[in-house]
Amino acid sequence: MGDQAELDQCKEHIKKALENGIVALIAEKMREFLEKHEQVPLNIAVTGESGSGKSSFVNAFRGVDNKDENAAATGCVETTTEVKSYNHPKYPNVTLWDLPGIGTTKFTADKYLEHIEFKKFDFFIIISDTRFRENDAKLAQEIQNMEKKFYFVRTKIDHNMQDEERSQRDFNEENTLDRIRKNCTEGLEKLHIPSPKVFLISNFEPHQYDFERLCHTLEEELPQHQQHVLLLALPNISQEICNKKRKILKAKIKYCALMSAVGAAVPVPGTSVAVDGGITLKFVRKCQDVFHVDGVKLLHSLIKEPVESGKKMTVDLILRVLSSSVVFTSLIVAEEGTRFIPIFGIPIAMALSSIATYTALTFFLDKFTEAAQKANMKAVGLGTQV
């Protein structure tokens, strides 16, 4: 069932619940709808030979520093001897599996897949830091036989670029990258892998080379229900990814606005404000996780207040930011004023509450997107102007 069909079904539940006066049921239906789309599992297998950079890739993909306590162990020797899972720090339904390299096990390619329980993985990343070997090709063939997707990732490209620049008189980065990519592709074709998808990346500089192209390819080839899960979990390695994240969150705002309208249906003073505050707080926290932005610092900057150490995101802070908006304040006052008008008061209050929430969430989404884009441009050395 598509998003629009599910939304229409959700609206029908709301209509019936309103007719029966069951406000709690409405809130529950909306909550179920939103959470369903956020809990879709995504399991990514990462394999390759010893020392190829598997664990560093697992960390880079999750936006985790190699020195972090939740990082996959890295080192010059094989540190992965058994299957290990690493959940995304913000999205536990997204899991990267660090697999022992096929060359480090006693299993053949087909038995290796049985050993690691391949069925639970959505796709495979096969990593090498030099050239792809026969074991990699055999593994890819077995994965293909199992009707799973696989992608070849050539790591440590930043090191290659440095070495090439030192040794070549007329160094050209694009030509060098094309040559490495062609070499990898032709090598795999000789091993009977037709039209292999090869991506050249640096685990320490994901803003460069093919990391974004890899992410774009994964997004395109995943089933629709997993595409949004992948995008929201990705690090902010480009302006395009930031914009795609914004588009996904913007689509959720209409559902939050519906929930706000439900809260406005309760003829008790202050109920709508309390409901809207909770909805907005949850959405702002979501923006923090998606864009990797310090929300407390951002919101304090909007009201030009210093940030105290240990300060947390609260409804009070959010309302202080929104209180500076004449439009938002006017909508809230109008909503509370119309709530007790006979017959038409509740429907009008519901509409105003929905508009106010939509306006507030869009405002915060725009601010988080801008902050993420500025941070991204700073990371790639383009300054802080968006």
Side-chain angles (χ1 to χ4, degrees), residues 90-116:
K90 302 297 183 182
Y91 296 92
N93 52 311
V94 177
T95 308
L96 278 85
W97 299 79
D98 193 356
L99 311 182
I102 186 171
T104 64
T105 70
K106 60 184 179 181
F107 302 104
T108 57
D110 57 336
K111 295 299 181 183
Y112 174 85
L113 287 176
E114 289 181 18
H115 173 65
I116 63 172

Side-chain angles (χ1 to χ4, degrees), residues 210-225:
D210 289 346
F211 211 113
E212 183 180 1
R213 190 169 70 87
L214 170 64
C215 295
H216 180 69
T217 302
L218 296 178
E219 176 202 351
E220 281 193 329
E221 298 191 356
L222 275 173
Q224 186 177 16
H225 67 284

Side-chain angles (χ1 to χ4, degrees), residues 157 161 173-181 200 209:
I157 289 299
M161 291 300 102
E173 183 176 282
E174 281 304 314
N175 291 341
T176 304
L177 289 171
D178 287 341
R179 179 165 51 82
I180 295 173
R181 190 180 292 109
L200 314 181
Y209 313 116

Side-chain angles (χ1 to χ4, degrees), residues 203-274:
N203 290 326
F204 298 100
E205 298 178 34
H207 299 85
Q208 297 189 45
Y209 313 116
D210 289 346
F211 211 113
E212 183 180 1
R213 190 169 70 87
L214 170 64
C215 295
H216 180 69
T217 302
L218 296 178
E219 176 202 351
E220 281 193 329
E221 298 191 356
L222 275 173
Q224 186 177 16
H225 67 284
Q226 291 180 316
Q227 290 176 2
H228 289 183
V229 173
L230 172 74
L231 276 170
L232 294 179
L234 288 175
N236 300 323
I237 58 175
S238 71
Q239 302 294 81
E240 183 181 359
I241 286 179
C242 289
N243 289 332
K244 286 182 176 180
K245 289 182 175 187
R246 182 190 183 281
K247 185 177 179 180
I248 292 170
L249 292 182
K250 185 67 182 291
K252 294 179 181 293
I253 290 178
K254 59 187 176 186
Y255 307 134
C256 296
L258 271 173
M259 292 180 70
S260 173
V262 170
V266 181
V268 177
T271 300
S272 180
V273 174

Side-chain angles (χ1 to χ4, degrees), residues 111-292:
K111 295 299 181 183
Y112 174 85
L113 287 176
E114 289 181 18
H115 173 65
I116 63 172
E117 300 179 58
F118 79 95
K119 290 183 179 179
K120 65 187 174 188
F121 304 123
D122 293 297
F123 58 86
F124 288 75
I125 302 290
I126 302 174
I127 288 182
S128 174
D129 64 338
T130 52
R131 63 184 178 85
F132 294 97
R133 305 178 189 279
E134 187 176 2
N135 276 338
D136 300 315
K138 286 181 177 179
L139 179 60
Q141 289 166 346
E142 288 299 326
I143 294 171
Q144 192 167 38
N145 291 339
M146 303 295 184
E147 298 184 340
K148 297 276 187 176
K149 291 188 178 295
F150 57 90
Y151 307 89
F152 292 100
V153 170
R154 170 70 157 74
T155 59
K156 305 183 183 180
I157 289 299
D158 49 333
H159 295 172
N160 297 129
M161 291 300 102
Q162 292 169 9
D163 293 341
E164 292 288 333
E165 188 172 9
R166 291 192 193 102
S167 62
Q168 291 184 20
R169 181 180 302 173
D170 299 316
F171 172 74
N172 180 284
E173 183 176 282
E174 281 304 314
N175 291 341
T176 304
L177 289 171
D178 287 341
R179 179 165 51 82
I180 295 173
R181 190 180 292 109
K182 183 179 179 181
N183 181 264
C184 289
T185 301
E186 290 178 347
L188 286 165
E189 287 175 340
K190 288 179 181 178
L191 294 170
H192 311 293
I193 303 295
S195 304
K197 295 174 182 176
V198 178
F199 303 88
L200 314 181
I201 73 163
S202 164
N203 290 326
F204 298 100
E205 298 178 34
H207 299 85
Q208 297 189 45
Y209 313 116
D210 289 346
F211 211 113
E212 183 180 1
R213 190 169 70 87
L214 170 64
C215 295
H216 180 69
T217 302
L218 296 178
E219 176 202 351
E220 281 193 329
E221 298 191 356
L222 275 173
Q224 186 177 16
H225 67 284
Q226 291 180 316
Q227 290 176 2
H228 289 183
V229 173
L230 172 74
L231 276 170
L232 294 179
L234 288 175
N236 300 323
I237 58 175
S238 71
Q239 302 294 81
E240 183 181 359
I241 286 179
C242 289
N243 289 332
K244 286 182 176 180
K245 289 182 175 187
R246 182 190 183 281
K247 185 177 179 180
I248 292 170
L249 292 182
K250 185 67 182 291
K252 294 179 181 293
I253 290 178
K254 59 187 176 186
Y255 307 134
C256 296
L258 271 173
M259 292 180 70
S260 173
V262 170
V266 181
V268 177
T271 300
S272 180
V273 174
V275 171
D276 293 350
I279 292 171
T280 307
L281 176 61
K282 186 173 183 179
F283 185 82
V284 168
R285 285 174 174 167
K286 184 79 172 177
C287 288
Q288 286 186 127
D289 294 343
V290 168
F291 291 111
H292 310 287

Side-chain angles (χ1 to χ4, degrees), residues 2-17:
D3 283 358
Q4 188 57 48
E6 290 189 36
L7 178 58
D8 292 340
Q9 187 180 69
C10 190
K11 287 179 178 178
E12 186 61 30
H13 282 302
I14 291 174
K15 181 180 177 182
K16 289 181 180 179

